[in-house]
Amino acid sequence: MSGDFKIIDLHIAKRYRDFVYPPSEDSYLLLEAVQLDWEKIKTLKPVICLEIGCGSGVIACSVAKSLQSEAVVFATDISQVAVELTKVNFEQNNIDKIFCPVVADLISPLYDRLLNSVDLLLFNPPYIPRLSDFDDTDELSGTWCGGGPEGTEVLKRIFFQLHNIIETECPLVGQCCFGEKNSKRTFVHFEIHKEGKKNKMASRSSKFHFVELNIVRRLDENEKHVVSAVKYAVEQLGYTSVAINVELSATNDTDLVVPEPLLVDWAKVVEGSKPWRLYTRLTLTVGDVELLSSLMKNDRVLKYDIIAVSPLSEAIFNFVFDNLDVDLLTTDMMNREVWFEDETLYRKAVHCGKFIEISYSPAILSAEKKVEVFSHGNELFRMVGRRGVILTSRAFGAFEMRGPYDVINIGYLFGMNPNEARDAITVNPRRLLKAVGIKKRTLNHTLITRHFSKVPMNELDNLLQVPQFKIELETNSANEEQ
C-alpha cells in the first residue's frame, strides 16, 4: 500500500511567513493524490523529479523523503525566499537526494536541460482569479491569488511546455480550482499522458550535430562517474559526439604515467538507436619543450584520438605550431598566471590548423572566479575569432554540463552571438574531429577511398553487418543532408 509515503511536518521560521505560501488545504490535497498513486510512482523509480512552484517545499520534501531509489529533485519558484526555505527544509529533514533549487518563472531556465527527461512532475499552481483591485504589494497574496482573470493563466502557460520535458511514462500530479460551488472550492486533479506527440525540441535538436569534447575523467575515481556523465550527455542532453578527457600535468618524464584510454562496452550503457560517437582525449600541461616532445613520441599518448596542450610558455606554443599530433590548445580558465595575451600566438595557432578551447564550467563551479572566467573567454574569442574557437564544458560530472541551447546562451557571456556560439559546439568541433579522423587513417599507411554508392551491393551488404560501419554511414549521410 501507500503506507511508506510520509508527509513531513514543516516548521516555517518567522522570517519566512510574510513571503511564502504555507502548507494549506490544497497542499495536503495534492499530497493525498500523490499518496494514492504512490505504488505506481515507486515502480517507475523516478530519477529526475520536478516540482514547479515549490513554496514551502512540503510537497518536494515529502516525495524526496519517501523515495527509496536514488533521485535528483528540482524545485523551482519565482520567489527567491521560497526557494531558500525549501532548501532549508531539505537540510533539516536530512533528505539524502540530490537537490537542485532554482529561482525561475515556471521552468524557463531548465527547459533545455530537462528535455524529455522528467520522471515525476508535481505542480500546485495559483488558481484563485486575480481581481482588478488586487494589492500587488502583498507578496504573500500573490503566491495563491495569481491565476489571472479566470484563475487558469499559469496552467495555460505550463501546458504548452509539458510535453517537451516529461518522459513518456511520467506521472504528473497536479490540481486546479475552477471557481467555487456552494461556498466550497471545487478541486480537479489531472493527469497527463504523453502519447504520440512529436517532441518539438528533439526535432529542432536533430537539425544539428552537437559536440561535447571535454568530459573529464578523474583517474582517482571510479570510472562509473565519467560513464554516467557520458550517458547523460548523449541520452538527456542530445550530444552526438562526446570526448572523455584525461588531464595530466608534470615537470619531468618520470613523474608522468599516461593511462590507457578508457574502454567500455558503450552499447550496453547508452540506450537508444540514435547514432553517436565517443572519442578519447588527452590534455597535457607541461612547461618544457623537451618533455612535451618526448611525450608526443609515447605510444600510449598516440592511442588517444584528440591531443590537447595547455602551453605554459611561448616555446610550447612554437612547438605546437609544427606538431601535427596536437589538435587543440587549452588553458586553465581560473588561473590568470598561465594566461597568454599575445594575440599573434593564438592567431598563428589557428592559421596552423589548431583550435582554441573555451570552457564554461569553471564559471559555474566558482562564483568568485566567474567574472574572470567570462572576461578571459571574451578576450580569447576576440583574439581567435569565430572559426578557431571550440566551446566545451570541462565537466567533472553530469550536473556541470548544460544542454546545447543553454551553451549557446552561455556563449553570449563570452562575447559570441548565437550563430557564433552554435558554430563553437557544432561546426568547429566537427572540423576538428574530421581532421582527427584523417590523421589517424593516414598516420602509418595510405587509404584509398570510394563513395559507398560505387561499392557493389554484395560488398556493401557485408560491410553493413559491421555495426561501427553502419553507424559511420548513417552519421555521414546525415551530415551530407545538412
Side-chain angles (χ1 to χ4, degrees), residues 330-347:
T330 186
T331 185
D332 185 345
M333 299 291 291
M334 296 175 65
N335 185 1
R336 181 177 286 275
E337 294 180 1
V338 300
W339 295 352
F340 283 87
E341 298 181 356
D342 187 341
E343 187 171 335
T344 58
L345 291 175
Y346 287 103
R347 289 194 175 277

Side-chain angles (χ1 to χ4, degrees), residues 342-356:
D342 187 341
E343 187 171 335
T344 58
L345 291 175
Y346 287 103
R347 289 194 175 277
K348 186 175 179 181
V350 174
H351 181 73
C352 293
K354 314 302 179 185
F355 290 88
I356 312 300

Side-chain angles (χ1 to χ4, degrees), residues 88-261:
V88 168
N89 286 326
F90 250 78
E91 294 170 352
Q92 289 181 347
N93 284 276
N94 299 316
I95 298 172
D96 60 355
K97 306 298 185 292
I98 298 174
F99 177 55
C100 302
V102 182
V103 179
D105 180 12
L106 300 180
I107 56 172
S108 51
L110 300 174
Y111 193 70
D112 283 347
R113 289 192 67 195
L114 298 182
L115 172 64
N116 201 34
S117 58
V118 175
D119 302 304
L120 175 62
L121 179 62
L122 304 154
F123 190 28
N124 183 22
Y127 49 79
I128 302 298
R130 177 172 291 195
L131 303 177
S132 57
D133 59 350
F134 176 75
D135 182 7
D136 286 322
T137 62
D138 186 353
E139 189 167 342
L140 182 59
S141 297
T143 62
W144 52 269
C145 189
E150 299 178 358
T152 58
E153 182 179 303
V154 177
L155 275 174
K156 289 176 181 177
R157 288 179 57 208
I158 194 62
F159 276 165
F160 285 108
Q161 305 176 44
L162 289 183
H163 281 287
N164 285 330
I165 65 166
I166 61 175
E167 265 286 11
T168 305
E169 301 297 326
C170 170
L172 183 153
V173 185
Q175 63 184 7
C176 55
C177 173
F178 293 99
E180 298 187 0
K181 186 176 182 180
N182 299 327
S183 300
K184 293 184 179 180
R185 294 172 186 163
T186 303
F187 286 93
V188 178
H189 296 284
F190 55 84
E191 184 175 351
I192 287 183
H193 298 279
K194 185 175 181 179
E195 296 177 351
K197 182 175 175 67
K198 186 176 180 180
N199 191 309
K200 295 179 182 177
M201 287 293 293
S203 175
R204 181 174 66 162
S205 297
S206 66
K207 296 179 182 178
F208 303 103
H209 291 275
F210 296 111
V211 182
E212 168 56 77
L213 292 185
N214 197 349
I215 298 177
V216 181
R217 171 191 170 194
R218 294 182 189 267
L219 298 178
D220 58 346
E221 287 186 351
N222 191 300
E223 66 183 37
K224 69 178 183 180
H225 295 290
V226 72
V227 169
S228 64
V230 171
K231 180 179 173 70
Y232 181 74
V234 176
E235 291 183 355
Q236 305 296 339
L237 300 183
Y239 289 99
T240 55
S241 296
V242 175
I244 295 177
N245 181 27
V246 173
E247 298 181 340
L248 296 178
S249 177
T251 55
N252 61 71
D253 207 354
T254 58
D255 291 342
L256 203 61
V257 178
V258 180
E260 291 281 354

Side-chain angles (χ1 to χ4, degrees), residues 359-382:
S359 299
Y360 61 81
S361 73
I364 297 172
L365 294 172
S366 174
E368 295 80 10
K369 295 282 187 177
K370 184 179 296 184
V371 174
E372 285 191 7
V373 170
F374 287 129
S375 175
H376 182 45
N378 267 271
E379 186 65 15
L380 278 175
F381 181 67
R382 184 194 64 78

Side-chain angles (χ1 to χ4, degrees), residues 267-286:
K268 295 181 180 179
V269 175
V270 178
E271 299 175 356
S273 58
K274 181 180 69 173
W276 71 285
R277 293 291 303 272
L278 178 76
Y279 296 85
T280 57
R281 168 180 163 178
L282 180 66
T283 299
L284 300 170
T285 302
V286 292

Side-chain angles (χ1 to χ4, degrees), residues 9 21 91 115 117 119 164 171 250 261 267 304 315 329 349 378 387 389 412 419 422 427 436 453 458 460 469 471 478:
D9 293 323
Y21 186 65
E91 294 170 352
L115 172 64
S117 58
D119 302 304
N164 285 330
Y304 285 83
L329 287 173
N378 267 271
R387 288 182 57 81
V389 164
Y412 176 80
N419 289 332
R422 188 187 65 202
V427 176
V436 165
S453 62
N458 61 329
L460 186 60
F469 176 81
I471 292 173

Side-chain angles (χ1 to χ4, degrees), residues 253 256 258 284 286 290-298 301:
D253 207 354
L256 203 61
V258 180
L284 300 170
V286 292
E290 291 185 5
L291 174 57
L292 181 58
S293 177
S294 173
L295 286 170
M296 297 310 297
K297 299 172 185 176
N298 186 311
V301 168

